[in-house]
């Protein structure tokens, strides 16, 4: 089997619809109940949200809404409704939590869905693939940082899940959604956050149109600004961009049907055309990726709660205080030219203002941010559909600026030290694949003036190892094995006046395996072990899960 059929997904829709279709199918693993007619509901070892024990009120935003056909006439998505914060639990709130409950049975692809409130994206997620008998799953999302939306009164609630059903793919997603508002007290004070939220609205980046932008007007007493980027690669190649081959190898081996442009992707954020930061997306693998047996019942890291990447734009505040529109842009470094390959997403901006002044002033004093990451490729083409390659990328950026406020001149410096390495080996025309990817991200924000010097450092490690083998014997038997080792590691520290005052860590690993044998007998088996550890102000947490063929290991 060539690598391209393994990683590519069949859409079966018109080109315009394919651009937004997220649930698709790997040729190596059709979406059916390989463990029989049932397996355990999706479960994860990740830490549940810590919720205040204060008085709370729950508002139901969507009740058992069915999603059958997102491309019908009319489509059944997005679902929209008016969301009104509860009068019985008026803000400010100590926390606001979004809860989702889903059900699906039969046969269906995984599907991407998004939730927006007042046009602002608050969740990007995906669905599990069902068993014949049916599964249920839950997602909880801390949306406290979007409190300015709720405080402004009634908002539009939008839930967008583009499903497709037919005689073969029968699974209908039934989803309920609610928001719970937790009041504040002396033990659980009102959460601190932004004063105003702005958003670019949805964007779509392709090779033909790699850049999108929105004109936004910022408060003239702006003091701090943080960007939050939701994004994902979709389509036949970009969903699996982390496993793509260098263009030179693709061109030399056209019969393999490989995806090109190499495995590195970078989305750059710009302010009036000036690069202000970069997002290196996590290699999220959905429940139909590579082999569905890998993810039953434990989903891939971030598969149910895709990351919202945060970038501190405070050094650029001084450029935005004139009351005029400024262009917030986003661009992708590379994308396949296939008709359905696209990077989609949305940028939210969290603005904090100076409550003691109607106007602030400021200046960007130092800007050493590369227009693009430095990328290197080492390739060895062995011929006969075999090759090795190593792709590296790096960024070492700095931006510094000050803002004159009612409480003094505040200087903010942001440093980003980012590195990426992908080592891949391809043998036997894609029937033997080994992948070793690693990303290390260190982002440091320092502020001084108006108080003690404060430094926050966040280090993230994102490993992904894949081993994929397909063997064919003379009797016509086929044996396919897939093994992965993926994870996410994070350490965040805050130092005030040179002394560390806060530290929090996350160590999350997942090791799934799958095997399929066809011929003289049929074998469908899979296992996974997930380990999640964290430390922080709420204390330590640790949980390990092990499953075999969809059920807890004995």
């Amino acid at each position: 089997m060539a690598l391209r059929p393994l990683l590519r997904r069949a859409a079966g829709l018109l080109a315009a619809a394919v651009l937004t279709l997220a649930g698709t199918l790997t040729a190596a693993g059709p979406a059916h109940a390989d463990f029989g007619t049932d397996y355990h509901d999706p479960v994860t070892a990740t830490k549940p949200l810590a919720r205040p024990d204060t008085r709370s009120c729950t508002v139901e935003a969507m009740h058992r809404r069915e999603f059958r056909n997102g491309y019908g006439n009319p489509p059944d998505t997005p679902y929209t409704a008016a969301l009104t914060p509860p009068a019985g639990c008026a803000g400010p709130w100590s926390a606001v939590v979004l809860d989702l409950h889903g059900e699906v049975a039969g046969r269906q692809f995984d599907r991407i869905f998004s939730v927006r409130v007042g046009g602002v994206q608050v969740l990007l997620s995906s669905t599990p693939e069902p068993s014949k008998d049916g599964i249920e799953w839950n997602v909880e999302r801390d949306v406290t940082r979007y409190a300015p939306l709720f405080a402004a009164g009634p908002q539009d609630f939008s839930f967008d899940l583009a499903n497709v059903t037919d005689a073969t793919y029968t699974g209908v997603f039934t989803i309920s959604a609610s928001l719970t508002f937790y009041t504040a007290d002396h033990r659980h004070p009102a959460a601190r956050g932004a004063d105003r939220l702005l958003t670019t609205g949805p964007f779509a980046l392709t090779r033909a149109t790699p850049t999108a932008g929105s004109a936004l007007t910022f408060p003239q007493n702006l003091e701090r600004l943080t960007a939050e980027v939701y994004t994902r690669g979709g389509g036949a190649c970009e969903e699996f961009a982390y496993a793509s081959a260098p263009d030179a190898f693709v061109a030399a081996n056209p019969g393999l049907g490989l995806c090109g442009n190499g495995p590195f992707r970078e989305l750059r954020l710009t302010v009036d055309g000036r690069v202000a930061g970069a997002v290196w997306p996590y290699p999220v693998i959905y429940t139909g990726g590579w082999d569905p047996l890998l993810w039953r019942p434990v989903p891939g890291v971030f598969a149910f709660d895709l990351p919202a990447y945060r970038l501190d734009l405070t050094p650029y505040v001084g450029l935005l205080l004139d009351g005029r529109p400024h262009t917030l842009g986003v661009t992708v470094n590379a994308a396949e030219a296939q008709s359905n390959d696209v990077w989609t997403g949305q940028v939210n901006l969290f603005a904090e203002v100076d409550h003691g002044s109607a106007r602030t002033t400021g200046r960007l004093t130092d800007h050493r941010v590369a227009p693009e990451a430095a990328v290197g490729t080492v390739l060895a083409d062995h011929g006969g559909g075999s090759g090795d390659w190593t792709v590296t990328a790096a960024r070492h950026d700095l931006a510094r600026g000050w803002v004159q406020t009612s409480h003094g001149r505040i200087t903010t410096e942001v440093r980003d030290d980012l590195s990426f390495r992908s080592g891949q080996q391809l043998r036997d025309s894609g029937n033997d694949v080994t992948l070793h990817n690693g990303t290390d991200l260190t982002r440091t924000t320092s502020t001084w003036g108006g108080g003690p010097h404060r430094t926050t450092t966040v280090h993230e490690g994102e490993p992904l190892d894949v081993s994929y083998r397909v063997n064919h014997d003379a009797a016509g038997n086929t044996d396919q094995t897939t093994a992965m080792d993926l994870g996410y590691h994070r350490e965040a520290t805050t130092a005030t006046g040179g002394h560390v005052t806060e530290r929090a860590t996350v160590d999350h690993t997942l090791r799934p395996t799958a095997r399929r044998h066809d011929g003289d007998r049929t074998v469908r088996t899979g296992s996974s072990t997930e380990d999640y550890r964290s430390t922080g102000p709420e204390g330590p947490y640790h949980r390990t899960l092990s499953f075999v063929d969809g059920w807890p290991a004995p």
Side-chain angles (χ1 to χ4, degrees):
M1 175 184 290
L3 183 61
R4 181 174 179 176
L6 166 68
L7 297 183
R8 300 204 128 198
R9 295 182 174 237
L13 297 175
L14 297 176
V18 171
L19 285 176
T20 56
L21 178 64
T24 43
L25 177 66
T26 57
H32 61 264
D34 296 88
F35 300 137
T37 60
D38 199 15
Y39 53 86
H40 196 285
D41 289 340
V43 62
T44 176
T46 56
K47 184 179 179 180
L49 290 181
R51 306 189 185 214
D53 59 3
T54 59
R55 183 170 53 86
S56 64
C57 302
T58 299
V59 176
E60 188 173 57
M62 185 171 69
H63 180 72
R64 296 190 57 80
R65 179 74 177 185
E66 292 187 346
F67 293 88
R68 296 176 179 271
N69 191 350
Y71 306 97
N73 188 20
D76 62 12
T77 193
Y79 168 84
T80 59
L83 176 67
T84 302
C89 293
W93 303 282
S94 57
V96 184
V97 176
L98 169 67
D99 285 293
L100 303 178
H101 177 77
E103 304 172 22
V104 62
R107 186 177 185 181
Q108 191 52 264
F109 302 119
D110 52 37
R111 306 286 183 182
I112 289 288
F113 66 87
S114 60
V115 180
R116 291 179 173 86
V117 176
V120 174
Q121 184 152 10
V122 301
L123 174 68
L124 181 61
S125 184
S126 71
T127 66
E129 290 194 351
S131 68
K132 181 179 179 181
D133 287 354
I135 56 174
E136 301 181 25
W137 81 102
N138 297 293
V139 175
E140 58 176 10
R141 173 73 160 166
D142 186 340
V143 294
T144 310
R145 62 182 176 275
Y146 305 105
L149 295 174
F150 310 123
Q155 299 286 341
D156 290 334
F157 173 89
S158 173
F159 188 100
D160 195 0
L161 194 166
N163 192 25
V164 176
T165 56
D166 54 28
T168 302
Y169 297 99
T170 59
V172 176
F173 295 101
T174 303
I175 312 288
S176 297
S178 65
L179 287 100
T180 301
F181 296 79
Y182 295 87
T183 57
D185 63 15
H186 68 283
R187 292 185 303 110
H188 302 283
R192 296 183 58 188
D195 298 289
R196 182 177 169 190
L197 267 66
L198 302 92
T199 184
T200 62
F203 64 77
L205 308 175
T206 66
R207 179 178 286 188
T209 56
T211 300
S214 295
L216 302 171
T217 302
F218 296 87
Q220 291 185 272
N221 60 342
L222 185 63
E223 183 172 333
R224 295 195 60 83
L225 185 66
T226 303
E228 173 185 73
V229 184
Y230 286 94
T231 189
R232 65 171 294 270
C237 284
E238 289 308 288
E239 180 177 331
F240 305 95
Y242 57 85
S244 293
D247 284 342
F249 188 81
V250 174
N253 297 271
L256 298 184
L258 298 173
C259 297
N261 280 332
F264 174 69
R265 296 293 182 273
E266 171 180 85
L267 275 76
R268 296 185 283 269
L269 216 59
T270 61
V271 176
D272 291 335
R274 187 195 311 255
V275 176
V279 167
W280 292 6
Y282 185 89
V284 178
I285 305 175
Y286 309 107
T287 57
W290 290 78
D291 188 328
L293 297 179
L294 296 165
W295 320 112
R296 297 178 175 171
V298 180
V301 176
F302 293 128
F304 286 179
D305 190 358
L306 275 69
Y309 306 95
R310 296 177 73 82
L311 299 174
D312 194 330
L313 301 183
T314 304
Y316 304 90
V317 164
L319 306 175
L320 308 173
L321 299 173
D322 56 7
R324 299 175 181 175
H326 293 269
T327 300
L328 196 291
V330 60
T331 185
V332 65
N333 73 316
E336 279 287 346
Q338 308 295 329
S339 62
N340 62 337
D341 276 315
V342 62
W343 283 87
T344 57
Q346 186 163 338
V347 182
N348 300 327
L349 294 155
F350 297 80
E352 299 177 42
V353 302
D354 179 5
H355 293 278
S357 174
R359 295 285 298 269
T360 54
T361 58
R363 179 179 296 174
L364 176 67
T365 58
D366 197 350
H367 181 263
R368 286 174 274 169
V369 180
E372 59 186 56
V375 181
T377 301
V378 177
L379 169 64
D381 189 338
H382 305 305
S386 295
D388 301 336
W389 54 86
T390 300
V391 176
T392 57
R395 268 191 175 276
H396 303 286
D397 298 332
L398 180 146
R400 184 187 303 122
W402 56 261
V403 179
Q404 188 68 43
T405 73
S406 62
H407 44 276
R409 175 172 292 190
I410 311 299
T411 299
T412 301
E413 179 183 276
V414 176
R415 291 179 177 267
D416 290 342
D417 293 290
L418 319 178
S419 65
F420 169 86
R421 186 182 190 279
S422 175
Q424 300 187 44
Q425 297 178 345
L426 187 144
R427 300 288 185 272
D428 190 21
S429 300
N431 287 315
D432 186 339
V433 179
T434 302
L435 167 68
H436 298 291
N437 282 8
T439 302
D440 287 288
L441 314 172
T442 301
R443 302 184 188 271
T444 303
T445 298
S446 300
T447 60
W448 56 90
H453 183 263
R454 181 182 174 92
T455 301
T456 300
T457 301
V458 177
H459 175 75
E460 297 169 293
E462 302 171 352
L464 171 62
D465 294 337
V466 180
S467 174
Y468 172 80
R469 307 283 187 273
V470 178
N471 296 310
H472 306 276
D473 63 23
N477 298 306
T478 299
D479 198 80
Q480 172 188 309
T481 59
T482 309
M484 291 193 179
D485 191 337
L486 61 159
Y488 175 72
H489 308 283
R490 184 179 193 270
E491 180 181 42
T493 58
T494 298
T496 303
H499 301 284
V500 174
T501 54
E502 296 180 23
R503 181 176 181 270
T505 63
V506 170
D507 288 291
H508 186 188
T509 60
L510 177 59
R511 297 180 176 89
T513 64
R515 182 191 176 206
R516 296 171 182 266
H517 181 92
D518 293 292
D520 54 7
R521 67 191 189 283
T522 299
V523 175
R524 298 285 188 271
T525 187
S527 66
S528 62
T529 298
E530 182 184 34
D531 188 82
Y532 187 95
R533 299 170 183 265
S534 66
T535 63
E538 299 165 357
Y541 176 86
H542 180 212
R543 189 182 185 190
T544 300
L545 298 175
S546 294
F547 285 82
V548 176
D549 291 346
W551 297 100

